[in-house]
DNA sequence: ATGATTGCAAAAGCTTTGCAGCTTG
DNA sequence: CAAGCTGCAAAGCTTTTGCAATCAT
């Protein structure tokens, strides 16, 4: 068995994982949905619909932009993706579903995930001690706004 | 001096305050800007451009929608307003400039201000103890997402 | 006086919609 | 087979743009 065969097995395993996810979410499994979900899961930059469309269209010229819109929206409604809006009102899609904050770099238009369990606990326990009336809280997230100093390098908070 | 005269004085004082704000921000003082800024300051519901336009147009039919767009954008750039985007990517304008969070009620599309000094300090000191590299942080805000239970009543956290 | 601002209308995005034909379960 | 999904093109929004006329300083 050569390296290529291994690759094919890994790929097919990964697709079956994706098919399961789609199916379990209650949606029908179509070629378009597999391609789109697979793509968003591999992009870690919170893509826009246009980004997703651009990144799939060479290999899948028949998938239309409208389908990408409908598909990501279906994924959001069925809990496979979450939707993030930039400070400029542009919609981006995020495959990470656990509670996390975002760093918005206005000079590079990047959205970077920010996970910190300690911070999450701190905020959660803060609100546990508050009396919240007439609101059913779904989630609480932190938004860190700033500018990247060197646009080429990564941002790190630790 | 009757009640009406008092009212007129209060109004004119309030306009001169608004004129000063516009002028100090570096923008020229025009009728349109006075009306628009005055309106946004009085609306406490984070209006959209369309909301602002609707709310001024009966008394000021000559102010065009395009001018409202240009004006609020100028206000944001000159530090008189801040811009908030909803989870659906709609832009709203906020006259409150000090650091505060927002409660997003998805069932009523309301954005409610949330001030808490203790929380602000907590978050600030949390990040003071972190090493942040390659990012110039401008501000950190909290976003509380939820649904209003009774849409008619107010939300309260205390 | 001159540089900024306005109104208007057109254009540019971005997203949704309607529907006929096709596919999935 | 029925319900759901796709592709296409048109329509619907929101926002920006270009420019001549007007206004603020």
């Amino acid at each position: 068995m050569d390296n290529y065969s291994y690759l094919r097995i890994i790929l097919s395993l990964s697709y079956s994982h994706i098919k399961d996810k789609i199916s379990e979410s209650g949606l029908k499994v179509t070629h378009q949905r597999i391609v789109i979900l697979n793509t968003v899961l591999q992009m870690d930059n919170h893509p826009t619909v246009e980004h997703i469309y651009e990144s799939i269209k060479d290999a899948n010229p028949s998938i239309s932009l409208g389908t990408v819109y409908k598909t990501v929206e279906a994924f959001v409604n069925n809990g496979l993706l979450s939707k993030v809006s930039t400070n400029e009102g542009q919609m981006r899609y995020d495959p990470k579903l656990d509670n996390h904050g975002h760093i918005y770099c206005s000079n590079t238009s990047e959205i970077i995930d920010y996970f910190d369990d300690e911070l999450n606990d701190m905020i959660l326990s803060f609100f546990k001690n508050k009396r919240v009336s007439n609101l059913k809280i779904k989630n609480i997230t932190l938004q860190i706004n700033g500018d990247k100093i060197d646009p080429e390098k990564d941002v790190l908070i630790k």
Side-chain angles (χ1 to χ4, degrees), chain A:
Chain A
M1 193 148 90
D2 62 9
N3 286 339
Y4 241 70
S5 311
Y6 281 120
L7 193 60
R8 238 177 279 123
I9 287 173
I10 290 166
L11 270 176
S12 94
L13 279 175
S14 123
Y15 278 119
S16 78
H17 179 233
I18 286 185
K19 287 180 193 170
D20 289 350
K21 274 188 147 185
I22 296 172
S23 183
E24 283 160 18
S25 84
L27 294 168
K28 289 195 171 176
V29 178
T30 66
H31 170 64
Q32 292 85 337
R33 288 178 174 169
I34 296 167
V35 170
I36 293 170
L37 186 55
N38 184 48
T39 301
V40 179
L41 290 175
Q42 283 177 0
M43 299 171 94
D44 60 349
N45 56 347
H46 304 80
T48 62
V49 165
E50 202 68 38
H51 288 147
I52 300 166
Y53 179 66
E54 286 304 317
S55 117
I56 66 177
K57 84 166 175 201
D58 284 353
N60 305 270
S62 72
I63 300 183
S64 74
L65 181 60
T67 295
V68 182
Y69 273 102
K70 287 171 188 161
T71 302
V72 291
E73 212 46 37
F75 287 164
V76 170
N77 292 334
N78 289 53
L80 293 176
L81 293 180
S82 78
K83 203 187 197 175
V84 187
S85 128
T86 67
N87 292 328
E88 288 73 39
Q90 199 181 35
M91 303 310 311
R92 305 249 207 143
Y93 295 86
D94 188 344
K96 298 183 198 66
L97 298 166
D98 46 352
N99 195 43
H100 65 279
H102 286 120
I103 304 167
Y104 293 77
C105 303
S106 46
N107 58 340
T108 63
S109 299
E110 277 168 288
I111 299 180
I112 300 163
D113 290 315
Y114 178 67
F115 291 90
D116 191 301
D117 286 340
E118 193 192 331
L119 180 65
N120 276 350
D121 291 348
M122 201 172 84
I123 291 172
L124 219 68
S125 66
F126 177 86
F127 282 100
K128 213 169 269 166
N129 294 325
K130 295 277 167 184
R131 191 185 330 283
V132 179
S133 26
N134 200 32
L135 181 72
K136 170 112 188 59
I137 295 180
K138 289 188 291 197
N139 64 68
I140 300 175
T141 62
L142 206 69
Q143 171 169 350
I144 302 166
N145 295 300
D147 282 313
K148 253 193 172 182
I149 295 163
D150 180 344
E152 307 303 322
K153 289 186 188 150
D154 284 347
V155 167
L156 248 138
I157 300 181
K158 61 177 181 179

